[in-house]
């Protein structure tokens, strides 16, 4: 048993104050902090809620889930043809649910990544939030972040991109679009270990 | 595992109160290292208790449903999301009964003689030379039904790899597989075999150990090794609710004459650090090598279907060793294999986003891939954060970057010779190569942190073995130098990476360790 005093939950500390993974330079940190302060001051709950309607996030808050949903909308295929699109598959909510099985450290990293995604324009003297940009501008923003961005921006883009695409294409409604005929064995319902953690959000 | 041994298994949903046990040997883990040691010690009449943090999943319970999300959640140590601190290495390790053998590709390799000789020469490892290990290798291969896959069972990507390698003048060879005739070439090896055809620990050493009297507690998270007066005397653990992965409120204390930690190459060192194991050499938690895997994709004009069939029935050893000329890197330092990826993982690895990525995925059945396992020259480490959680530090060093670039060139060469119209690089720019004369572009693709991620499936080194207590963590009997009665039986003890899949070597080392432990216990 440890005699050390209890520490505050990692997620409760300022997300930019921890780990090299999220370390930014002093100027960048100040710019992001200013952006975050302005964002908090500016509210916008309804705006974010509209990006992922009727969602009940488990780990993320409404703003974070909205930003993540906006990101998924640009990264995953648009609905059309055989593609259901990320909103129908509820990719952002799948990611949120997955986070509930991970450590406070990993959850805090993802939250901080979403914060940087939304307010990272401040690092380039472009204060408009990601979710306030139009579609083509969002694509350009993501391209700059993933290709030309500094290490931290590339990490954020790369890791969120991975989550979005993985949780889109694990859904069997997407398999027709890529001509994947799926597993050979049926999915047992409920799965032997845990229905809640993997539970389909549409059923 | 059949009903005859299931009464020797305890899962957390049947634990109704905290417990205390007293045994001869407690083993942390249930993978390749743990299961072999458990079997040998139980057969010798010792009371053995194995503790596995993850759950027990079995085909007859229909647990292996071949879905990527379900199976990452059940059998991967980090549910597929654990990475090095900088995100550059994706850690692939076991998180269920049977450990990494449940998700591995079933490639079966003996540690090469040059590597065992180097460990003896440079680290003073005794009793683990090729001559010492030969009978154990033979026994493991017999137990695993290890044999090359016949040519008729090579999938399209394996056949393309052979075509491409032959046209490029790269020697290749069949890769020995641990499979029996229940394998139906489904391609879901990484999701856990639903047919018991892959010879993981679930169908080999574990049931044999249980049949010999060993017991196994699943969902049991060992928090620390108990050490009294410089001697390991047991472990303290807690049971986890499998549905939530959170503690269920019930604890376990085990008192034992011998403690074996076999939690795997990523998890053993953090457990020893959490247990305040004395670390006079400073080497505990250092020297982490893990075979980072660069991979390229090729777009073919015919179907490859990367997710079906035996993953790596063939490969090339030609470049296993680095070659240098007067100290300057020339080439090599990796194994070359056909790759196998299920669709969602493929999607996550292909470059780009939006419409561009959609077009690629709509061509997914025509996408092939080659992969290399880099024999690291650099190394990383692990430390604990304030909550006692491990943080793995590793980045691709300058020497390994040269190896990665050379491996990428060889992968591209094979893919282009196999008929790929275009080679797709998973870098942020989505670099494409369509002719051999463009290979030099791979000298400049962006490998920086945040730009390319490497799967890292084969950790080694963080409890390295050696004669000298000032430079190593365990001695050649696998006992921790600084703590009597505490042994390590997993790839953490390898002084370096093995340069091939390590599973057979882990098992052979565990046979050696168990033999020594039995001798000492009397």
């Amino acid at each position: 048993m440890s005699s050390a005093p209890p520490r505050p939950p990692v997620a409760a500390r300022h997300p930019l104050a921890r780990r090299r993974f999220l370390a930014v330079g002093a100027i960048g940190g100040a710019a992001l902090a200013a952006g975050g302060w302005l964002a908090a001051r500016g509210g916008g709950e309804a705006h974010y809620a509209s990006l992922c309607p009727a969602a009940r996030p488990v780990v993320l808050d409404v703003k974070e889930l909205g930003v993540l949903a906006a990101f998924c909308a640009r990264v995953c295929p648009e609905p059309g043809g055989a593609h259901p699109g990320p909103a129908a598959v509820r990719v952002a909510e799948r990611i949120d649910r997955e986070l509930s099985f991970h450590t406070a450290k990993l959850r805090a990293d993802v939250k901080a990544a979403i914060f940087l995604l939304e307010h990272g324009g401040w690092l380039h003297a472009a204060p408009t939030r990601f979710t306030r940009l139009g579609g083509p501008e969002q694509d350009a923003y993501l391209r700059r972040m993933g290709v030309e961005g500094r290490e931290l921006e590339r990490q954020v883009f790369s890791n969120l991109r991975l989550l979005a695409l993985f949780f889109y294409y694990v859904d069997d409604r997407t398999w027709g679009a890529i001509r994947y005929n799926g597993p050979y064995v049926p999915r047992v319902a409920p799965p032997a270990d845990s229905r809640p953690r993997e539970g389909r959000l549409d059923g | 595992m059949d009903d005859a041994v299931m009464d020797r298994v305890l899962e957390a949903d049947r634990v109704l109160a905290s417990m205390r046990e007293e045994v001869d040997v407690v083993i942390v883990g249930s993978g390749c290292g743990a299961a072999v040691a458990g079997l040998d010690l139980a057969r010798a009449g010792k009371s053995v208790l194995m503790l596995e943090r993850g759950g027990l999943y079995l085909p007859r319970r229909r647990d292996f449903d071949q879905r990527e999300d379900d199976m990452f959640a059940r059998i991967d140590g980090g549910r597929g999301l654990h990475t090095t601190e900088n995100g550059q290495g994706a850690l692939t390790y076991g998180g269920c009964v049977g450990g990494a053998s449940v998700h591995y590709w079933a490639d079966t390799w003996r540690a090469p003689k040059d590597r065992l000789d180097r460990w003896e020469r440079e680290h003073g490892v005794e009793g683990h030379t090729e001559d010492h290990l030969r009978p154990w290798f033979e026994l493991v291969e017999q137990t695993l039904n290890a044999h090359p896959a016949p040519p008729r069972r090579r999938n399209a990507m394996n056949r393309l790899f052979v075509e491409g390698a032959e046209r490029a003048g790269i020697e290749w060879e069949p890769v020995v597989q641990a499979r029996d005739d229940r394998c139906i070439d489904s391609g879901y090896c990484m999701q856990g075999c639903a047919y018991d055809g892959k010879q993981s620990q679930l169908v080999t050493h574990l049931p044999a150990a249980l049949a010999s009297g060993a017991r196994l507690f699943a969902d049991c998270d060992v928090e620390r090794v108990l050490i009294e007066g410089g001697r390991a005397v047991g472990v303290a653990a807690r049971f986890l609710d499998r549905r939530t992965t959170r503690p269920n409120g019930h604890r376990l204390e085990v008192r034992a004459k011998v403690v074996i930690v076999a939690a795997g190459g990523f998890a053993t060192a953090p457990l020893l650090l959490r247990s305040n194991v004395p670390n006079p050499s400073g080497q505990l938690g250092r020297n982490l090598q893990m075979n980072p895997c660069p991979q390229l994709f090729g777009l073919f004009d015919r179907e490859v279907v990367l997710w079906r069939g035996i993953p790596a029935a063939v490969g090339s050893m030609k470049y296993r060793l680095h070659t240098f000329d007067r100290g300057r890197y020339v080439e090599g330092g990796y194994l070359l294999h056909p790759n196998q990826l299920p669709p969602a993982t493929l999607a996550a690895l292909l470059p780009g986003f939006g419409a561009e990525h959609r077009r690629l995925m709509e061509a997914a059945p025509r996408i092939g891939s080659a992969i290399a396992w880099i024999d690291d020259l650099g190394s990383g480490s692990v430390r604990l954060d304030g909550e006692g959680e491990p943080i793995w530090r590793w980045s691709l060093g300058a020497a390994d970057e040269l190896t990665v670039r050379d491996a990428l060139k060889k992968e591209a060469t094979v893919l282009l010779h196999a008929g790929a119209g275009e080679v797709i690089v998973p870098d942020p720019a989505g670099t494409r190569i369509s002719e051999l004369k463009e290979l030099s572009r791979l000298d400049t693709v962006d490998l920086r942190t945040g730009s390319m991620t490497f799967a890292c499936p084969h950790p080694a080194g963080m409890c390295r073995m050696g004669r000298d207590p000032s430079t190593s963590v365990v001695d050649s009997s696998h006992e921790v130098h600084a703590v009597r009665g505490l042994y390590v039986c997993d790839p953490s003890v390898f002084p370096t990476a093995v340069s091939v899949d390590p599973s057979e070597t882990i098992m052979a080392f565990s046979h050696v360790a168990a033999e020594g432990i039995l001798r000492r216990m009397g």
Side-chain angles (χ1 to χ4, degrees):
Chain A
M1 298 294 287
S2 170
S3 59
R7 296 165 58 90
V10 172
R13 297 176 219 150
H14 193 286
L16 294 177
R18 49 182 304 281
R19 293 188 68 188
R20 184 176 170 275
F21 177 73
L22 295 165
V24 292
I27 296 171
L32 281 167
W37 179 77
L38 285 172
R41 192 166 161 266
E45 190 86 354
H47 163 67
Y48 292 111
S50 73
L51 298 172
C52 198
R56 293 191 302 275
V58 179
V59 173
L60 303 176
D61 61 27
V62 169
K63 173 180 174 178
E64 291 161 342
L65 193 73
V67 175
L68 187 57
F71 177 80
C72 293
R74 300 316 302 170
V75 167
C76 299
E78 290 179 4
H83 277 284
V89 173
R90 302 173 74 175
V91 176
E93 291 159 88
R94 289 288 305 267
I95 296 169
D96 173 59
R97 184 70 60 90
E98 174 61 29
L99 292 175
S100 70
F101 298 99
H102 289 275
T103 61
K105 178 178 67 183
L106 194 143
R107 293 198 298 266
D109 279 353
V110 174
K111 282 169 166 277
I114 292 170
F115 180 87
L116 188 138
L117 168 67
E118 175 69 337
H119 301 291
W122 284 87
L123 296 172
H124 304 276
T128 306
R129 302 175 206 179
F130 172 73
T131 58
R132 296 286 189 187
L133 298 170
E137 290 77 24
Q138 285 183 330
D139 288 350
Y141 181 102
L142 295 178
R143 209 163 282 119
R144 182 181 66 192
M145 193 173 198
V147 180
E148 301 151 19
R150 36 193 105 180
E151 179 178 316
L152 176 67
E153 293 174 281
R154 296 198 313 276
Q155 286 174 333
V156 164
F157 173 75
S158 159
N159 291 326
L160 293 179
R161 191 196 78 100
L162 183 147
L163 288 173
L165 291 168
F166 179 83
F167 282 103
Y168 179 73
Y169 283 106
V170 289
D171 193 289
D172 48 12
R173 286 167 291 185
T174 69
W175 295 346
I178 58 172
R179 286 180 291 135
Y180 171 47
N181 54 4
Y184 292 148
V185 296
R187 192 182 207 190
V188 178
D193 58 339
S194 62
R195 183 66 178 170
R197 73 171 165 186
E198 299 149 355
R200 289 281 297 266
L201 295 160
D202 59 335
Chain B
M1 286 198 272
D2 58 28
D3 290 335
V5 298
M6 284 303 290
D7 64 351
R8 308 200 63 77
V9 179
L10 179 67
E11 297 174 81
D13 60 357
R14 290 196 286 129
V15 176
L16 303 176
S18 292
M19 303 164 62
R20 191 180 158 85
E21 293 278 343
E22 204 156 314
V23 294
D24 291 329
V25 183
V26 63
I27 302 177
V28 184
S30 65
C32 291
V36 167
L39 171 60
D40 287 357
L41 294 165
R43 272 192 178 153
K46 302 301 178 191
S47 59
V48 174
L49 177 58
M50 291 183 274
L51 306 176
E52 169 56 52
R53 186 182 193 281
L56 172 65
Y57 301 105
L58 297 171
R60 66 196 185 94
R61 293 177 176 175
R62 301 167 75 188
D63 289 327
F64 295 112
D65 67 11
Q66 304 180 336
R67 297 182 59 104
E68 293 170 77
D69 48 355
D70 291 353
M71 297 320 302
F72 265 126
R74 291 177 192 158
I75 70 175
D76 187 85
R79 294 176 63 97
L81 293 188
H82 278 182
T83 67
T84 53
E85 185 178 29
N86 60 7
Q88 198 173 27
L91 311 185
T92 307
Y93 64 108
C96 61
V97 172
S101 75
V102 177
H103 74 232
Y104 86 140
W105 278 4
D107 306 356
T108 305
W109 302 76
R110 297 183 183 194
K113 182 178 187 307
D114 55 76
R115 195 54 48 112
L116 296 170
D117 288 348
R118 180 178 157 198
W119 293 350
E120 180 185 42
R121 188 177 62 248
E122 296 180 9
H123 298 272
V125 173
E126 297 164 343
H128 294 78
T129 64
E130 187 178 60
D131 286 342
H132 288 106
L133 294 176
R134 185 174 298 110
W136 298 121
F137 282 144
E138 289 169 357
L139 177 62
V140 169
E141 289 161 7
Q142 186 184 358
T143 304
L144 301 186
N145 190 38
H147 62 283
R152 64 183 165 76
R153 295 185 63 183
R154 291 177 195 150
N155 68 8
M157 189 59 238
N158 277 265
R159 293 195 301 272
L160 287 169
F161 183 92
V162 169
E163 282 177 38
E166 287 185 346
R167 286 186 195 136
I170 297 173
E171 295 108 37
W172 61 275
E173 55 279 318
V175 173
V176 173
Q177 302 285 310
R179 302 174 190 278
D180 72 10
D181 55 12
R182 289 171 289 184
C183 171
I184 65 160
D185 303 348
S186 70
Y188 292 105
C189 303
M190 275 191 71
Q191 286 75 43
C193 183
Y195 313 98
D196 279 342
K198 183 172 72 175
Q199 299 300 284
S200 76
Q201 298 307 312
L202 286 175
V203 293
T204 53
H205 298 100
L206 266 182
L210 298 173
S212 301
R215 290 181 299 150
L216 168 69
F217 291 179
D219 315 298
C220 186
D221 179 30
V222 174
E223 294 176 292
R224 65 186 195 281
V225 177
L226 304 175
I227 300 168
E228 294 174 3
R231 181 168 191 88
V233 296
V235 300
R238 58 186 181 176
F239 287 99
L240 304 177
D241 178 346
R242 199 179 297 173
R243 290 171 305 170
T244 63
T245 68
R246 305 270 182 258
N248 70 1
H250 301 313
R251 302 191 56 80
L252 171 71
E253 182 174 309
V254 182
R255 306 293 285 194
K257 294 170 187 160
V258 165
V259 176
I260 296 176
V261 180
F266 287 120
T268 283
L271 172 59
L272 299 191
L273 290 169
R274 261 199 310 278
S275 305
N276 293 318
V277 165
N279 182 20
S281 68
Q283 299 302 317
L284 174 59
R286 301 184 66 181
N287 312 302
L288 170 63
Q289 297 188 320
M290 47 191 188
N291 284 167
C293 297
Q295 51 203 317
L296 291 180
F297 304 94
L299 191 57
F300 290 84
D301 61 6
R302 52 183 151 153
E303 291 219 332
V304 180
V305 191
L306 207 44
W307 47 83
R308 295 289 185 219
I310 293 174
V314 299
S316 176
M317 294 266 282
K318 178 176 180 178
Y319 304 106
R320 183 176 66 81
L321 297 175
H322 296 83
T323 54
F324 297 92
D325 179 18
R326 281 165 288 186
R328 289 189 58 183
Y329 175 77
V330 178
E331 68 174 356
Y334 49 84
L335 296 188
L336 211 51
H337 281 295
N339 200 3
Q340 182 164 63
L341 292 166
T345 307
L346 174 66
L349 294 172
L350 286 171
F353 64 93
E356 175 197 16
H357 190 274
R358 172 187 181 139
R359 278 193 296 276
L360 272 182
M361 281 306 290
E362 286 172 350
R366 292 191 289 112
I367 292 176
S369 180
I371 188 167
W373 297 349
I374 303 296
D375 187 23
D376 329 26
L377 294 172
S379 65
S381 62
V382 70
R383 64 183 172 85
L384 303 178
D385 70 7
E387 283 75 31
E389 294 291 334
I391 296 174
W392 297 276
R393 306 189 97 168
W394 175 87
S395 59
L396 191 69
D400 289 324
E401 184 179 322
L402 291 174
T403 313
V404 165
R405 293 190 188 284
D406 185 55
L408 290 172
K409 286 181 186 173
K410 299 300 193 303
E411 290 170 8
T413 301
V414 169
L415 290 168
L416 289 169
H417 276 292
E422 197 170 52
V423 167
I424 302 159
V425 183
D427 64 339
T431 302
R432 308 293 173 94
I433 291 171
S434 51
E435 295 180 273
L436 289 168
K437 65 184 181 189
E438 295 178 293
L439 288 181
S440 61
R441 293 177 63 196
L442 293 167
D443 288 326
T444 54
V445 295
D446 188 354
L447 302 181
R448 292 174 300 166
T449 300
S451 296
M452 199 177 283
T453 302
F454 301 94
C456 297
H458 302 147
M462 291 204 288
C463 302
R464 73 182 183 192
M465 183 180 285
R467 184 187 299 121
D468 185 349
S470 70
T471 59
S472 58
V473 178
V474 304
D475 64 22
S476 294
S477 73
H478 292 241
E479 190 173 32
V480 173
H481 284 300
V483 182
R484 298 295 95 188
L486 176 59
Y487 294 82
V488 178
C489 289
D490 67 27
S492 307
V493 304
F494 299 156
T496 67
V498 190
S499 80
V500 295
D501 181 285
S503 52
E504 184 177 0
T505 309
I506 296 167
M507 290 181 250
F509 265 53
S510 269
H511 278 302
V512 173
E515 194 178 45
I517 290 168
L518 282 171
R519 210 166 32 240
R520 288 184 179 202
M521 289 183 83

